[in-house]
Amino acid sequence: MLVVQACDDGYTCPLSIDPALRVAVVDSITQEPSVMMPTVTIGTSTGASVELGASSREPGVFLAYGASGVYSVVVRADGYAQFAKGGIAVSASTGKCGGVNTARLTAKMQKAM
């Protein structure tokens, strides 16, 4: 079932929300989501942070919902070096339904030495 919302100008918008960030966590060698059970933490330019759970639809994919702005991502997993990236810009959508343009990131995890 698809739920939609009609705007005043007659345009129909889906009631789904696009994530601000889509983070895919993969092994740097195999390029596959691994069984590493990573911890993914998203930070904002305001200093807020949240730890994410994995998406149930895609193994190794983490989704963060939020407003436009600048984000940082830190991924930790046992047996792997920490992955960190800052300055990830998420822009507001210019479409009639608003929302954000999802920033996509792949965290290629390297085995710890």
Side-chain angles (χ1 to χ4, degrees), residues 11 13 18-20 66-69 90-102:
Y11 190 79
C13 297
D18 290 330
S68 59
V90 174
S91 61
S93 174
T94 57
K96 288 187 175 241
C97 294
V100 296
N101 296 310
T102 303

Side-chain angles (χ1 to χ4, degrees), residues 14-65:
L15 286 180
S16 62
I17 301 170
D18 290 330
L21 290 170
R22 180 188 182 279
V23 182
V25 181
V26 299
D27 182 276
S28 65
I29 303 297
T30 66
Q31 301 299 304
E32 295 291 325
S34 74
V35 294
M36 63 180 108
M37 300 300 293
T39 300
V40 178
T41 305
I42 305 296
T44 67
S45 57
T46 63
S49 67
V50 64
E51 190 173 300
L52 301 179
S55 165
S56 60
R57 291 186 178 179
E58 296 178 83
V61 173
F62 296 78
L63 304 175
Y65 293 86

Side-chain angles (χ1 to χ4, degrees), residues 72-112:
S72 61
V73 173
V74 176
V75 182
R76 294 181 185 87
D78 289 342
Y80 288 84
Q82 176 179 291
F83 173 91
K85 181 165 177 70
I88 304 165
V90 174
S91 61
S93 174
T94 57
K96 288 187 175 241
C97 294
V100 296
N101 296 310
T102 303
R104 296 174 180 272
L105 174 68
T106 300
K108 295 181 179 180
M109 303 297 287
Q110 297 181 353
K111 296 274 187 184

